[in-house]
Amino acid sequence: MNLYKKVMKGVVAVENAVMVVATFAILVLIFVNVIGRFCFNHSFQFVDEFVVAVFVLVSLIGAALASREDGGLIGLSLISDQLKGKTRLIQKLIANAISLIYCGVLTYQGFVRTAVEFSQGTNTFVMHWPLWIFVSFVPVSGIFLLLHFVENTVNFLESRKLKEDK
């Protein structure tokens, strides 16, 4: 289990680095576009296309990072917070199983869509970059989501075992 925790620390470091670089790139490009629009009366069309694609990456990796912690993602915990003992265990395991299934489907469909875009050789409209590059953000982020939901489940079970041992 220690190896898994070390790997997950590395994954989190990569995710944080990607988030910083992507968010900074979005910020700079939008700022440059606004300056260009107001000062030179010219807008850079590629900025909108690039920012939308990178925003998908930032959103999904942000969700993955939030899923590490209980309550990190938006949810209604009105009932689940009131549960105790085995009922809470069952509810948590079912919720995480459903989340893992969803992330698995998201990742699989992302890989399928990436393969389709790659095989068709589709390019983005403005930048003419291969579209599969941006579509690949979905399955990559889906893998991160899967890893963090597994981590969340393992942490929940470990904390539960520690409480029982005391």
Side-chain angles (χ1 to χ4, degrees):
M1 199 52 67
N2 283 339
L3 177 63
Y4 180 72
K5 290 191 185 281
K6 287 180 184 177
V7 167
M8 290 310 295
K9 281 184 182 181
V11 167
V12 168
V14 168
E15 288 172 329
N16 285 332
V18 168
M19 290 285 286
V20 166
V21 170
T23 304
F24 185 73
I26 288 172
L27 205 83
V28 168
L29 286 172
I30 290 175
F31 179 74
V32 167
N33 205 27
V34 168
I35 296 298
R37 204 175 298 142
F38 284 107
C39 294
F40 306 113
N41 208 20
H42 179 71
S43 177
F44 301 107
Q45 290 179 334
F46 77 92
V47 170
D48 294 333
E49 190 173 83
F50 185 78
V51 165
V52 167
V54 174
F55 188 72
V56 169
L57 177 68
V58 168
S59 298
L60 289 172
I61 289 183
L65 285 167
S67 68
R68 296 180 73 213
E69 311 265 334
D70 256 352
L73 291 173
I74 295 173
L76 183 61
S77 61
L78 183 65
I79 297 172
S80 60
D81 285 348
Q82 305 303 316
L83 300 175
K84 303 284 185 234
K86 284 195 186 260
T87 312
R88 170 76 175 138
L89 172 66
I90 292 168
Q91 178 273 326
K92 179 68 173 175
L93 292 177
I94 290 172
N96 278 11
I98 291 169
S99 298
L100 285 167
I101 291 168
Y102 170 76
C103 293
V105 169
L106 176 76
T107 303
Y108 173 75
Q109 289 298 320
F111 276 120
V112 167
R113 187 69 189 163
T114 302
V116 166
E117 296 298 343
F118 183 79
S119 67
Q120 290 179 346
T122 312
N123 291 330
T124 61
F125 184 69
V126 177
M127 295 186 299
H128 302 290
W129 286 10
L131 188 58
W132 68 266
I133 293 171
F134 295 120
V135 175
S136 70
F137 293 166
V138 174
V140 169
S141 300
I143 291 170
F144 289 142
L145 275 162
L146 280 166
L147 289 172
H148 286 305
F149 272 113
V150 168
E151 180 183 27
N152 181 299
T153 306
V154 167
N155 289 343
F156 174 76
L157 293 172
E158 282 180 348
S159 69
R160 195 170 159 77
K161 182 154 175 55
L162 286 174
K163 287 179 186 175
E164 288 176 0
D165 290 345
K166 287 184 180 180

